[in-house]
Amino acid sequence: MPSVALRRAVRETVAGLPREFWWLWTSTLVNRLGAFVATFMALYLTLDRGYSASYAGLVASLHGLGGVVSSLAGGVMADRLGRRPTLLVAQGSTAAAVALLGFVQDPVAIAAVAFLVGMASNASRPAVQAMMADIVRPQDRVRAFSLNYWAINLGFAVSSMAAGFIAEVSYRAGFLIEAGMTAVCAVLVFVKLPESRPERIARSAGAPGGEVSLRTVVRDRRYMAVVGLSFLVALIFQQGSVGLPVAMGEAGFSPADYGTAIAVNGVLIVVLQIPVTRFIEHRDPRSLLTVSSLLAGYGFGLTAFAGSVGVFALTVCVWTLAEIVNAPTQTGLVVRLSPVHGRGRYQGMYTMSWSAAALIAPLLSGVVIDRFGARWLWGVCAVVGTAAAFGYGVLMRKLPDERTGEERVVEEGGGVVGERATEDRAAEERVPGVKDAGAVEAGGGAEALA
């Protein structure tokens, strides 16, 4: 029966993931359910406060700049202080900054606090991703990252709808509700999540495994090439919220038409993320990232031929499928290319590629549309997607084997030297306070929250 098959699919999707993962997943969902400010910030500044659209754009850029700055800082904190303290500091600071943003009125103060909100909110991302890598078995990581991405999109879909109703009552209430829900996330982290950062024990003289610094990350040429490819793909995906509404507006479509087309993105992610992940979970990431880059580039490229809302929605379907495949695969790849004790810094560098794309994409798309027209923007997306696909195909050879649990190590002076198997790694480090991620907990899954 279909219902029996559905229940089996759900059980297989959530089974085997440790209890700590589900508390982290719940924290992510609660955080995104309360993400109101990003949705109505421009309306708040222009309609409620009476500022110009240019000023609203400046505030949005400063918010994005704060995210770029904190990506690396959050990664360093996750490795040095630990995942749990970093999450507590980031989420507590976010709650305070968002609440303050609802009360400040001076334009300079609003811009400064928006920058702080961007810094605080983005600082938690490397710690979340590193903690998931710490507590989830290597063969389950793509599934875990996919479930987390699904929670992000489900929460954002709900919060986007709720934001409109809340804004009609009080913008300040939206700020305070988001601050309160972010504070709840901090409490969940404090009460339910133990520290997961791998601890070191004494190593024999001359053994590899030295400290990982940002210099180590930058010197890792293959990884930095992957970060560059991630930046290119992120530039493409950003056009869904940057270039697409401008292009549709210039073509005579209304904001409601854009809302109808872009809503397809959220609906498809919520509906398809889990079943698609079950299909791609153990497939070659090189092929998945190559295909998803092509789908993203040519999905947006097809927008050049769209002449109705239905065709625009069809193009959204194409690049949304690319997004569904790319997000968990790319995050899992970052873990595979990261030394165990440098996961925070490596995740921070990866997060920065997306933050930088969010900062640059509005400027890039605006210049291209103004000078050459929207069709050129969609052509550039196709070219960039093709280049990224070629890059993934060349770089992703001889990856560490996720199924055998091989991890990368570093020399004492920095610099990645290769991989070793989990059995060798287990003698050198352990994850404190977390059950063995390789053991399937009885009753694992969503019910483990009880």
Side-chain angles (χ1 to χ4, degrees), residues 175-191:
F175 287 103
L176 295 178
I177 292 173
E178 177 166 344
M181 296 189 75
T182 305
V184 169
C185 295
V187 172
L188 276 177
V189 169
F190 180 77
V191 174

Side-chain angles (χ1 to χ4, degrees), residues 166-425:
I166 293 173
E168 290 183 0
V169 177
S170 169
Y171 284 102
R172 181 171 293 171
F175 287 103
L176 295 178
I177 292 173
E178 177 166 344
M181 296 189 75
T182 305
V184 169
C185 295
V187 172
L188 276 177
V189 169
F190 180 77
V191 174
K192 293 295 184 179
L193 289 176
E195 178 54 58
S196 70
R197 181 181 56 170
E199 290 183 352
R200 295 181 182 276
I201 65 173
R203 297 176 183 270
S204 59
E211 292 298 328
V212 179
S213 65
L214 287 177
R215 182 182 178 187
T216 309
V217 182
V218 174
R219 288 172 58 190
D220 189 342
R221 288 178 294 179
R222 181 165 73 161
Y223 181 78
M224 290 305 297
V226 169
V227 170
L229 294 175
S230 171
F231 171 75
L232 293 180
V233 173
L235 280 178
I236 298 174
F237 284 130
Q238 288 293 329
Q239 300 310 320
S241 58
V242 175
L244 185 60
V246 174
M248 290 186 69
E250 288 192 349
F253 293 93
S254 68
D257 293 331
Y258 166 72
T260 300
I262 200 63
V264 174
N265 174 253
V267 172
L268 285 181
I269 290 176
V270 172
V271 173
L272 295 181
Q273 184 71 63
I274 292 177
V276 169
T277 299
R278 284 170 52 81
F279 176 75
I280 68 172
E281 187 174 2
H282 299 298
R283 297 182 183 273
D284 177 23
R286 178 185 178 191
S287 301
L288 294 175
L289 290 171
T290 298
V291 171
S292 64
S293 298
L294 291 173
L295 284 175
Y298 286 94
F300 277 99
L302 289 172
T303 309
F305 305 100
S308 66
V309 175
V311 178
F312 276 112
L314 184 61
T315 65
V316 172
C317 291
V318 176
W319 58 259
T320 296
L321 182 59
E323 185 180 358
I324 290 171
V325 174
N326 179 274
T329 307
Q330 180 74 71
T331 310
L333 175 65
V334 170
V335 176
R336 293 176 71 171
L337 296 178
S338 305
V340 175
H341 291 91
R343 282 175 179 157
R345 288 174 173 86
Y346 273 69
Q347 291 286 355
M349 187 65 73
Y350 167 64
T351 301
M352 190 184 71
S353 69
W354 282 83
S355 299
L359 185 63
I360 294 173
L363 302 175
L364 179 65
S365 60
V367 169
V368 173
I369 291 176
D370 287 342
R371 292 191 176 184
F372 306 104
R375 287 181 177 270
W376 274 89
L377 176 63
W378 309 131
V380 168
C381 286
V383 171
V384 172
T386 303
F390 177 78
Y392 281 121
V394 171
L395 288 171
M396 294 299 97
R397 297 174 179 175
K398 298 181 180 179
L399 284 174
D401 191 344
E402 192 80 68
R403 290 170 294 181
T404 60
E406 291 180 336
E407 301 284 358
R408 309 185 86 200
V409 296
V410 293
E411 296 174 325
E412 292 295 341
V416 178
V417 297
E419 293 81 34
R420 68 171 181 273
T422 301
E423 289 77 12
D424 298 327
R425 176 168 55 89

